[in-house]
Amino acid sequence: MSSKSNGATNEIKFTKLFINGQFVDSLLGKTFETTNPTTEEIITRVAEGTKEDVDLAVKAARNAFDNGPWPRLSGEARRKILLKFANLIEENGEELATLDVIDGGKPFSLSRYFEIPTVVELFRYYAGAADKIHGTTLKMNTSIHAYTLREPIGVVGHIIPWNFPSQGFAMKVAPALAVGCTMVVKPSEQTPLSALFYAHLSKLAGIPDGVINVVNGFGETAGAAISSHMDIDTVSFTGSMEVGRLVMQAAATSNLKPVLLELGGKSPFIVFDDADFDKAIDLAIYGNFINKGEICVAGSRVFVQEGIHDVFVNKLAEMTKDWTIGDLFDPTTRHGPQNNKQQYEKVLSLIEHGKKEGATLLTGGRPFGKKGYYIEPTIFIDVTDDMIIAKEEIFGPVISVLKFKTIEEVIKRANATKYGLAAGVMTKNIDVANTMSRSIRAGAVWVNCFLALDRDAPHGGYKMSGFGKESGIEGLDHYLHIKTVATPIYDSPWL
């Protein structure tokens, strides 16, 4: 089957489940549609996994962990296979990017030249870590020799978000593979196609059967089965706060498996009077409208100090006109459709809330075009902290601009949120920068930059943005157990 979108044709090669190294139909023979958000047309139908398919996938992953070679390979051997996997992803980057474009509605340039290279480098980064999983020698206070082992936790359940399907796959799968885990991956039902292609490439790379299993399906069935499965040792989930609660509850009421949760945010982007004005404008736009605003760290609460507020919002509106909407395969296009109809309607509903609550609509706020889930880049001013648009994660191209006077005031207001994923601070004053970076309760504070995400930088939130870290060396920790080994020492000249 093939799909045509904006002049690009892509054959859909993989639509089944991937279990124990084979593409298979679901046990109940069920399928579901995946839709192109640009055209609102069906791309293809993919196999729909349910609890029974998850059970089969977990059985394969458990056997691969308990009896298979992957956890028992040397770190060097896993490193070589992961590097081959990375090379295969790089070689197939065009096709992988195209799948995410037609399935997720992101501009091709963003997918091909940012997300796919990020995926490649994540696998290379964790390949380099595979032979560096070190324990420590302990200095005990008695005649005991002791050391720690860092061992793979076992079978992992990964639940992948739809906004960055490829990067989400790599951030979870690469570190888990590096330490020797096996896994069941559930891509979002909105964007399942690239995960299946990655499964195919993993087999070509030499990853043994059963190590990676991909079960397409819905959260309330396949996702719930993973979260509550008694033979899955840990779960990693990225998505909404509401679903994160369900994942955590299911993990607790089953086998008390640990969970890693990344649950979004409502990040402040704080611009002081002395900031580099043009840079602040560019980052405010980029940090909110990139990937059509479907980004968990979006700086959607733009706090602007009163001395530059009026000129800032005027310039912001002017520069937003250059944020091009159009053909996703046109390299000049920067803005695509929302990922799915439900998200499209949610964003439009929240825009209406903003109007009703008294915020002033400066730009945008309307659907764009006659087909597809496009929404114009939107800016609200005269926003107050108690408005819904200032409190709720919109996950769409909507900026709320708020005015502030003092550093003490903006710290308090920036922290007055249930979220704590990221923050941006724009100032030339090092004292202000230091105070802000230590005062804001967020997992990342970007000073005079934004979206400074990197494979070497741990990513994760405070408060209801979740817990646990992905990326960086810390990204290995969730997939490792620490074991202490102790044995007596006899007649040693020293302890």
Side-chain angles (χ1 to χ4, degrees), residues 53-63 155 184 213 229 231-232:
D53 301 290
V54 170
D55 287 341
L56 197 62
V58 173
K59 184 178 180 181
R62 174 55 60 192
N63 183 60
V155 177
V184 178
N213 304 273
H229 206 288
D231 216 17
I232 287 180

Side-chain angles (χ1 to χ4, degrees), residues 318-381:
E318 179 186 338
M319 295 300 292
T320 297
K321 296 174 184 177
D322 296 331
W323 198 258
T324 315
I325 308 175
D327 179 355
L328 296 183
F329 290 91
D330 184 332
T332 65
T333 294
R334 307 186 77 180
H335 194 76
Q338 305 313 124
N339 178 276
N340 56 79
K341 185 177 182 181
Q342 182 180 5
Q343 186 63 22
Y344 169 78
E345 292 174 346
K346 175 188 173 184
V347 174
L348 289 175
S349 173
L350 286 166
I351 290 171
E352 289 305 309
H353 270 292
K355 295 177 185 177
K356 291 175 183 176
E357 288 184 311
T360 300
L361 184 62
L362 185 66
T363 63
R366 298 180 298 271
F368 178 87
K370 297 180 180 179
K371 186 180 290 187
Y373 305 130
Y374 289 91
I375 297 174
E376 295 174 339
T378 300
I379 301 171
F380 280 104
I381 59 173

Side-chain angles (χ1 to χ4, degrees), residues 107 191 232 299 316 357 395:
T191 52
I232 287 180
L316 194 65
E357 288 184 311
F395 222 60

